[in-house]
Amino acid sequence: MTYCVGVMLESGMIFASDSRTHAGVDNFASFCKLNLFERAGDRVIVLLSSGNLGGTQAVISILRQNGKRPDCPSLWNAESMFDVALLVSDAMRLVDRRDGQHLKKNNNGFHASFILGGQIRGEPPRLFRIYAEGNFIEAGDQTPYFQTGETKYGKPIIDWAITRSTTLNDATKCVLVSFESTMRSNLSVGMPIDLICYKLDSFAVTMRRRFDPDDAYFTTLGKEWSAGTREVFGRLPDLDW
Amino acid sequence: MTYCVGVMLESGMIFASDSRTHAGVDNFASFCKLNLFERAGDRVIVLLSSGNLGGTQAVISILRQNGKRPDCPSLWNAESMFDVALLVSDAMRLVDRRDGQHLKKNNNGFHASFILGGQIRGEPPRLFRIYAEGNFIEAGDQTPYFQTGETKYGKPIIDWAITRSTTLNDATKCVLVSFESTMRSNLSVGMPIDLICYKLDSFAVTMRRRFDPDDAYFTTLGKEWSAGTREVFGRLPDLDW
């Protein structure tokens, strides 16, 4: 499994992913699922990947390779985030054409999906969820975030605490607690956690962090959040039977 | 789907269930899934049911009917909650023997499961989770609660806020918020919510409540909890990049 979150706020964006991959509980490993494409002053593009690792890595490799060819449509010359989403989708379908039928022999098929977000100069930030079939949806005011993978444990906390006007700081803490609650209940989601905060119109990534299993801040945050919830319940009005 | 929770605290127990049953989104109805067997001064037994409604209702009917026969082993003469769990299990297997093969023709099979809890004089309170096969497990110090049905959305909040020493009042609010978060994300879990709080060694139910869709307390609780979480995130230490 996997857990990835992309959030779009008035003040910027947050991207986070776990890094566990596994083929059964007796065979797991760590791979970074957060991919950054940055050209300072012009564009910041983040891709969070879930699904079959062979598939997601191939898609990223195609995007990076095409990005080196000046004559080729790529993430570096795309005019909009919508065009970037199309490029990701094209790369997914290319990999599917090559690998899909072979994977199906093992009753598996190609399945990779992505959260794509960022900002290209001339546009506001945009956030997309790209499905395994290569089609995609874009976040709006009513749903300012996307999750992939093991989404259920970590969803309520985001629904409660994050709106478009939440600060980057507060939303970051909320996203981390969302990971804590997911990892507590699903062993197939695991640290390190990769995190990027992008400040609106900055066209550069200055806040990037990796949380390893023994990260002091992450541990403290989880404990203080837990204590905080108990305090809140103590303050809420008691039920009148 | 269904959502049921049973919690065992040092000071008592909490039982809650939604009441939505459905066969597709275009065919849903309300049935109470909380069943109380009470003889004041002697025993309080609560059964929360999930799964096929025909199956769970048949099990409850057998238990009630046998309870009226003075010569028959029943919930009223069982010496312990363990014996009650065995009676529930026996009733489930009886229904399965009668209906199981017929349901399997529709690729369905008998599936009903229960959360069983309560206190019989001479014993401390006990809490069980009875699986569709009729086998069961009992709650302990490390896992003082059981859920059935759509369990994921509502689990983190219980993990954060409830320990064995949490007060009945605070844990009740937490269980209600757990329902709020589940219903927000899964349409097949729906109000009314039935709730019972049982005070340790009281051998009577004095706190029972049904929350209808427009319940003012439930609505306020959800809003104040949401505001409370935002406050907590504002207070938690900011990430040092």
Side-chain angles (χ1 to χ4, degrees), chain A residues 160 173 217 226 233 236-238, chain B residues 160 173 217 226 233 236-237:
Chain A
W160 292 321
K173 295 180 242 176
Y217 176 79
S226 193
F233 282 119
L236 291 182
D238 285 345
Chain B
W160 292 322
K173 294 179 243 178
Y217 176 79
S226 192
F233 282 120
L236 292 181

Side-chain angles (χ1 to χ4, degrees), chain A residues 42-239:
Chain A
D42 173 59
R43 65 190 60 203
V44 165
I45 299 166
V46 178
L47 258 178
L48 305 175
S49 53
S50 0
N52 179 275
L53 189 63
T56 57
Q57 285 192 343
V59 169
I60 302 290
S61 288
I62 290 170
L63 294 171
R64 290 207 184 276
Q65 200 155 302
N66 287 347
K68 286 177 189 162
R69 297 187 190 149
D71 55 330
C72 183
S74 83
L75 273 59
W76 302 117
N77 54 32
E79 278 180 37
S80 68
M81 286 299 296
F82 176 77
D83 286 347
V84 172
L86 289 174
L87 290 171
V88 177
S89 166
D90 289 346
M92 290 167 72
R93 286 167 180 176
L94 200 65
V95 177
D96 186 19
R97 273 199 296 279
R98 185 184 152 78
D99 290 347
Q101 53 184 325
H102 299 278
L103 293 169
K104 275 198 192 101
K105 285 181 197 159
N106 264 339
N107 202 15
N108 217 332
F110 170 82
H111 64 103
S113 71
F114 295 90
I115 291 173
L116 164 70
Q119 188 176 16
I120 293 178
R121 191 169 283 281
E123 275 199 328
R126 296 172 76 174
L127 181 67
F128 297 86
R129 164 98 168 82
I130 309 179
Y131 298 106
E133 295 79 6
N135 61 331
F136 50 84
I137 55 173
E138 183 170 1
D141 282 350
Q142 254 118 33
T143 305
Y145 70 91
F146 288 131
Q147 304 167 288
T148 54
E150 174 56 278
T151 60
K152 289 189 175 185
Y153 297 113
K155 182 173 183 293
I157 183 71
I158 297 177
D159 285 332
W160 292 321
I162 296 186
T163 65
R164 290 293 299 269
S165 62
T166 307
T167 65
L168 265 176
N169 266 346
D170 287 358
T172 298
K173 295 180 242 176
C174 176
V175 165
L176 290 174
V177 170
S178 170
F179 273 81
E180 197 267 353
S181 22
T182 306
M183 290 190 301
R184 187 198 283 257
S185 295
N186 188 331
L187 281 177
S188 74
V189 176
M191 297 182 99
I193 296 164
D194 288 297
L195 174 75
I196 280 181
C197 274
Y198 170 73
K199 216 180 136 205
L200 177 75
D201 297 338
S202 65
F203 301 101
V205 168
T206 56
M207 297 173 281
R208 181 171 186 164
R209 180 83 130 71
R210 164 161 276 210
F211 297 89
D212 287 310
D214 54 351
D215 188 275
Y217 176 79
F218 190 82
T219 309
T220 305
L221 193 76
K223 281 184 191 158
E224 294 199 13
W225 162 252
S226 193
T229 62
R230 285 175 212 166
E231 248 180 68
V232 175
F233 282 119
R235 282 204 316 269
L236 291 182
D238 285 345
L239 177 57

Side-chain angles (χ1 to χ4, degrees), chain B residues 6 21 28 33 55 57 92 110 114 119 137 164 171 199 210 220 233:
Chain B
T21 67
F28 67 90
K33 301 169 190 172
Q57 285 192 344
M92 290 166 72
F110 170 82
F114 295 90
Q119 188 176 17
I137 56 172
R164 290 294 299 269
K199 216 181 136 204
R210 165 162 275 212
T220 304
F233 282 120

Side-chain angles (χ1 to χ4, degrees), chain B residues 169-230:
Chain B
N169 267 345
D170 286 359
T172 298
K173 294 179 243 178
C174 176
V175 165
L176 290 175
V177 171
S178 170
F179 272 81
E180 196 268 352
S181 21
T182 305
M183 290 189 303
R184 188 197 283 258
S185 295
N186 188 331
L187 280 176
S188 75
V189 177
M191 297 182 100
I193 297 164
D194 287 297
L195 174 76
I196 280 181
C197 273
Y198 170 74
K199 216 181 136 204
L200 178 75
D201 296 339
S202 65
F203 301 102
V205 169
T206 56
M207 296 173 282
R208 180 171 186 165
R209 181 81 132 73
R210 165 162 275 212
F211 297 89
D212 287 310
D214 54 351
D215 189 275
Y217 176 79
F218 189 82
T219 309
T220 304
L221 193 75
K223 281 184 192 160
E224 293 198 13
W225 161 253
S226 192
T229 61
R230 286 175 212 166

